[in-house]
Amino acid sequence: SFVDSGTFVKIRDDIKLTLLTKYLPNYPAEGDESLIDGLRGKVSWRPGHWQGYQGNDLVAVIDMGQSKPVKSVSLGTLQDTHAWIVFPKTVEFWTSDDGTNYKLAATLNTKVDIKDLTVQTQDFSAALNTKTRSIKVIAKQFGPLPDWHESKGQPSYIFADEIIIE
């Protein structure tokens, strides 16, 4: 008889994701929990696993239920400049012990220029080495496509696939 196999990925049950900005309906990945589902997107973005944001920054809050040690946090992103998908200008990580009052923990700038036409991924990673209950992730839009781009002035996209907390 034939052998079937499958891979199952369990979403962490010790964290809760709240999206403060909504992804585009055309680029939902697998839905609201996609940024914490453990599935990484490929450079070929058309099959899915990427959430797309346009016109708004990506703003997400991870609540761990109680204060826990956090070694690092990262956000996975994609750039395909020809397709209007551009790395965020900056990614900020904010921490909070009460889920209301946040303190800036790290700000990271993209390491790749928009003129680099190679389709590629970039993880914005920061060592936090702190104890916290909540982490707010803000990925700032690049903004309108530059004058040299064939679609100059059109709004760029952020494509994100995963927030990883260690």
Side-chain angles (χ1 to χ4, degrees):
S1 64
F2 294 102
V3 175
D4 285 330
S5 66
T7 302
F8 297 91
V9 178
K10 184 179 184 309
I11 294 177
R12 290 177 58 173
D13 59 1
D14 64 331
I15 60 175
K16 179 182 178 244
L17 173 71
T18 303
L19 296 173
L20 300 181
T21 53
K22 190 70 174 163
Y23 49 85
L24 296 166
N26 294 351
Y27 304 108
E30 303 299 325
D32 287 355
E33 302 293 317
S34 291
L35 294 180
I36 58 169
D37 65 4
L39 300 174
R40 299 301 306 261
K42 306 288 185 222
V43 174
S44 175
W45 53 269
R46 287 173 178 84
H49 294 304
W50 292 99
Q51 280 189 349
Y53 296 80
Q54 186 182 43
N56 295 311
D57 298 333
L58 181 166
V59 183
V61 175
I62 304 285
D63 184 350
M64 297 180 287
Q66 61 183 337
S67 190
K68 295 181 182 178
V70 175
K71 180 178 160 188
S72 65
V73 63
S74 66
L75 173 69
T77 60
L78 174 83
Q79 180 162 292
D80 182 352
T81 302
H82 285 301
W84 305 12
I85 303 165
V86 181
F87 288 135
K89 273 186 180 177
T90 61
V91 174
E92 299 174 351
F93 298 111
W94 296 73
T95 60
S96 173
D97 290 324
D98 61 9
T100 303
N101 301 301
Y102 285 87
K103 181 176 81 173
L104 182 62
T107 300
L108 304 167
N109 296 317
T110 184
K111 297 175 184 161
V112 181
D113 193 285
I114 189 174
K115 292 180 182 177
D116 186 338
L117 302 180
T118 306
V119 181
Q120 59 192 300
T121 60
Q122 178 181 189
D123 285 344
F124 288 81
S125 301
L128 298 187
N129 297 314
T130 190
K131 197 170 182 182
T132 189
R133 175 184 172 143
S134 298
I135 299 172
K136 184 184 289 186
V137 179
I138 302 174
K140 303 264 185 181
Q141 284 282 350
F142 176 84
L145 295 168
D147 288 341
W148 57 264
H149 196 279
E150 61 192 16
S151 299
K152 68 179 178 181
Q154 296 297 319
S156 61
Y157 293 90
I158 291 176
F159 269 35
D161 72 338
E162 199 69 18
I163 298 170
I164 299 170
I165 299 171
E166 296 178 350

